[in-house]
Amino acid sequence: MMGPAHSLSGAMAWLAAGLGTAAAGHPMPWPVLVAGTLICAGAALAPDLDQKSATISRAFGPPSRWLAGLIDLLSVTVYNISRGRGDRKRTGGHRTLTHTWVWAVAIGAGFSAAAVYWGRWAVLVILFVHMVLAVEGLLWRAARVSSDVLVWLLGATAAWIMAGVLDRPGNGSDWLFAGEPYLWIGVPIVLGAIVHTIGDSLTVSGCPMFWPLPIAGRRWYPVGTPKFMRFNAGAWVENTVLMPAFMVVGAGCAVGAVMLAA
């Protein structure tokens, strides 16, 4: 899928999680619901950091393009070292390592650990990165016609405000893990990455989300829906069916989460 659809699916996923936790008797404070939705929307772009032309690879100028090159090299190296007998050798790493659930969990755990260990400044950096990505994904057309500096300023402002709100007593800095502020911040990051892989599994190429589990003699088996149900990234079904569905379901989950938490 393309960036806007990935971001919308990430936002929908966190709002659905908010509804689920509220129904289970552990509702998210509204700042966690809002912040988590934007973090998850941004994180849903992150697996494409293995491709230099992706939205995330362009989002932070030269540093993110350099990082994309390194991630691509790491991904193709891991792929070729760990490939099964049915996997062909590759020269590019797109849709390999960063499109697995192992990567999703590792990245989420890393961000949570950083937030707990380094405190407020790490939280601000994490929020800033994901706010910028959320703007790039959810407001794709507007972000494309504006300058990168304006998007970065918007992301920095949103990160500062959200951190200030979350830090207030009862607003959710220690939601989910009592006494451990911001340990939860990796959860929407994991969820966003997983939703990204599920979205890519709907497309023609599929997605090797279950690596390193061997499937049909391959460790990088491209899991997906039946081939007759798949579509090309950016196809009409994505823009006219899936994206409106993500918005409607997300809005319904948001209303439900807020009403159950009231």
Side-chain angles (χ1 to χ4, degrees):
M1 290 197 298
M2 303 298 286
H6 278 309
S7 282
L8 275 174
S9 67
M12 178 199 70
W14 188 254
L15 291 169
L19 177 60
T21 58
H26 194 68
M28 298 177 186
W30 72 263
V32 173
L33 187 66
V34 172
T37 297
L38 293 173
I39 293 170
C40 200
L45 295 179
D48 279 342
L49 191 57
D50 60 4
Q51 186 180 31
K52 289 184 179 180
S53 62
T55 300
I56 183 174
S57 304
R58 302 190 308 265
F60 300 96
S64 56
R65 287 194 291 272
W66 297 332
L67 180 59
L70 291 174
I71 295 297
D72 177 49
L73 178 60
L74 172 64
S75 297
V76 74
T77 300
V78 172
Y79 172 91
N80 286 325
I81 289 174
S82 65
R83 65 192 176 98
R85 66 179 184 276
D87 296 309
R88 296 181 179 179
K89 189 173 182 179
R90 293 184 57 160
T91 57
H94 182 48
R95 285 204 186 186
T96 55
L97 181 61
T98 62
H99 287 67
T100 66
W101 290 5
V102 171
W103 176 272
V105 172
I107 290 298
F111 276 119
S112 281
V116 171
Y117 187 79
W118 284 296
R120 179 176 176 80
W121 287 107
V123 171
L124 286 171
V125 171
I126 293 168
L127 288 173
F128 167 70
V129 168
H130 289 89
M131 293 308 102
V132 170
L133 293 179
V135 172
E136 292 278 1
L138 298 174
L139 303 177
W140 183 79
R141 293 188 184 279
R144 287 299 89 210
V145 298
S146 64
S147 71
D148 287 336
V149 174
L150 289 177
V151 175
W152 298 339
L153 287 173
L154 180 58
T157 302
W160 188 268
I161 292 172
M162 285 184 181
V165 173
L166 287 165
D167 281 340
R168 295 172 188 166
N171 275 3
S173 65
D174 62 348
W175 174 78
L176 196 60
F177 302 99
E180 294 290 347
Y182 295 107
L183 184 57
W184 63 268
I185 207 166
V187 178
I189 294 171
V190 173
L191 182 59
I194 287 176
V195 169
H196 180 110
T197 64
I198 294 173
D200 278 352
S201 73
L202 303 176
T203 63
V204 172
S205 300
C207 190
M209 61 181 79
F210 296 133
W211 173 85
L213 297 178
I215 301 175
R218 302 176 64 179
R219 291 195 180 276
W220 296 93
Y221 186 86
V223 177
T225 53
K227 289 188 177 181
F228 74 90
M229 296 176 61
R230 300 188 194 184
F231 54 86
N232 290 313
W236 67 269
V237 67
E238 180 178 327
N239 298 317
T240 62
V241 177
L242 293 180
M243 289 177 64
F246 294 155
M247 287 188 281
V248 171
V249 173
C253 290
V255 172
V258 171
M259 291 180 64
L260 289 175

